[in-house]
Amino acid sequence: METEREVFGNFKPELIPEECSGDINDYEEALHVLMKFMGSMSSALEQVSGRGANAIVYQAGKRMGHEAGKLVEKTDDLEKAMQELSEILGIEFYFEMWKPSNQAEYTIEKGNETIVKLIFRDCVVRQTLRRTGLRQKGPLCYLLYGYTVGAVEEVMGIKGKLDIDHVGPNACLKTLTIKWGGK
Amino acid sequence: MVKIKIDEEACVGCGSCVDDCPNDVYKLDEKKGKSTVVNEEDCMACLSCHEICPAQAMEHQDIHVAKRLYIDRKVNEVIRKIL
Ligand code: SF4
Ligand code: SF4
């Protein structure tokens, strides 16, 4: 095993030390540790709380989403809101709008609802689940659903809902329903 | 656009991909006893079919390959050398 690189230096409270980051190996190591921790936390939560785990985690994600949504510009334009959402989620949750070939537009209007399908191509949650051998659609996925819904609700000032259509090893399809005037 | 190729030599005609694909991209050719691609334009590159196919008979071309950061960089380097 390689010897660990120790960092020596001066440290004062409130200051960022000159040398506190690591090299790419450190980041890789940290990512693996976090994935393992998250995976085991999620499966333990499921064992203890059963399906209730999804609801708890969804609420936690939603709260996070609302907080994150406060930092970006408000809009009632769906396309703009999707751009804001992709900024909030970051490149590790790369998604785009999707539609079947026989549907003309990305959005479907139904009464006071707008429905849009989102395909998540890159997803750290999916990677974590695969790293730890856990199935998709469990509590960790609900954390992301909550986060997405919370952020959209905050950005657009609406009530939202996200349903899982399909999960795959390379992409997951979700349906976002926006309820206008329903906050 | 996504292009899908089925290796007919490899396909055992089990129909798992037909049942599993959420977008009805495949159909079983009863005569040949092989899977065929009938609705390529609706493929969203989820690759569930890759996971279920016992013969690893399909190839998707021109798709977004999702990041798999959980695979060690060292492992990736070795794989790249072998391939
Ligand atoms: S990648 Fe997904 S949508 Fe495309 S053919 Fe396979 S299962 Fe169907
Ligand atoms: S799952 Fe694979 S082996 Fe089975 S029918 Fe589809 S392509 Fe052929």
Side-chain angles (χ1 to χ4, degrees), chain A residues 98 166, chain B residues 2 4 17 20-26 39-40 42-50 58 60:
Chain A
W98 188 85
H166 182 76
Chain B
V2 180
I4 308 169
C17 56
D20 197 51
C21 174
N23 297 343
D24 301 324
V25 169
Y26 303 106
N39 187 19
E40 212 167 32
D42 276 345
C43 175
M44 56 189 181
C46 66
L47 300 191
S48 292
C49 51
H50 283 224
M58 64 270 290
H60 281 62

Side-chain angles (χ1 to χ4, degrees), chain A residues 66-173:
Chain A
H66 274 283
E67 289 307 315
K70 282 181 186 146
L71 305 173
V72 299
E73 217 180 299
K74 306 271 175 283
T75 177
D76 55 7
D77 178 87
L78 184 68
E79 216 160 293
K80 180 118 197 302
M82 290 301 105
Q83 279 167 18
E84 306 272 25
L85 179 64
S86 99
E87 254 170 59
I88 291 170
L89 294 179
I91 55 159
E92 295 308 326
F93 292 103
Y94 170 64
F95 72 92
E96 50 195 5
M97 291 194 271
W98 188 85
K99 65 175 183 64
S101 56
N102 61 1
Q103 190 181 303
E105 305 290 336
Y106 282 108
T107 53
I108 297 174
E109 307 295 334
K110 249 192 208 167
N112 67 339
E113 289 181 352
T114 300
I115 298 159
V116 61
K117 288 196 182 294
L118 304 178
I119 185 135
F120 281 76
R121 303 233 176 253
D122 287 314
C123 175
V124 186
V125 168
R126 190 191 312 131
Q127 296 183 61
T128 302
L129 296 172
R130 295 183 80 77
R131 165 72 175 77
T132 44
L134 294 170
R135 63 175 182 87
Q136 288 167 263
K137 280 196 200 178
L140 268 193
C141 289
Y142 277 82
L143 189 70
L144 174 63
Y145 305 152
Y147 192 39
T148 306
V149 170
V152 174
E153 284 188 350
E154 192 63 41
V155 171
M156 300 187 79
I158 45 94
K159 201 100 191 106
K161 185 165 80 95
L162 197 68
D163 291 303
I164 315 156
D165 294 356
H166 182 76
V167 292
N170 199 58
C172 304
L173 188 68

Side-chain angles (χ1 to χ4, degrees), chain B residues 3-40:
Chain B
K3 280 228 60 78
I4 308 169
K5 275 191 182 169
I6 304 262
D7 179 349
E8 287 201 357
E9 301 268 295
C11 173
V12 294
C14 65
S16 303
C17 56
V18 180
D19 295 339
D20 197 51
C21 174
N23 297 343
D24 301 324
V25 169
Y26 303 106
K27 203 173 163 223
L28 206 62
D29 183 327
E30 302 286 350
K31 262 198 216 143
K32 283 193 199 166
K34 306 279 175 192
S35 173
T36 46
V37 179
V38 290
N39 187 19
E40 212 167 32

Side-chain angles (χ1 to χ4, degrees), chain A residues 10-60:
Chain A
N10 301 331
F11 197 96
K12 285 183 193 168
E14 304 299 326
L15 286 181
I16 296 174
E18 270 171 38
E19 183 59 80
C20 64
S21 60
D23 61 18
I24 187 145
N25 293 315
D26 292 322
Y27 286 103
E28 185 173 41
E29 189 74 30
L31 177 72
H32 279 273
V33 170
L34 283 173
M35 280 184 170
K36 277 197 274 186
F37 274 31
M38 289 298 286
S40 84
M41 215 165 75
S42 165
S43 71
L45 198 63
E46 212 172 9
Q47 270 167 16
V48 174
S49 324
R51 292 183 62 129
N54 293 351
I56 300 166
V57 173
Y58 179 80
Q59 282 310 323

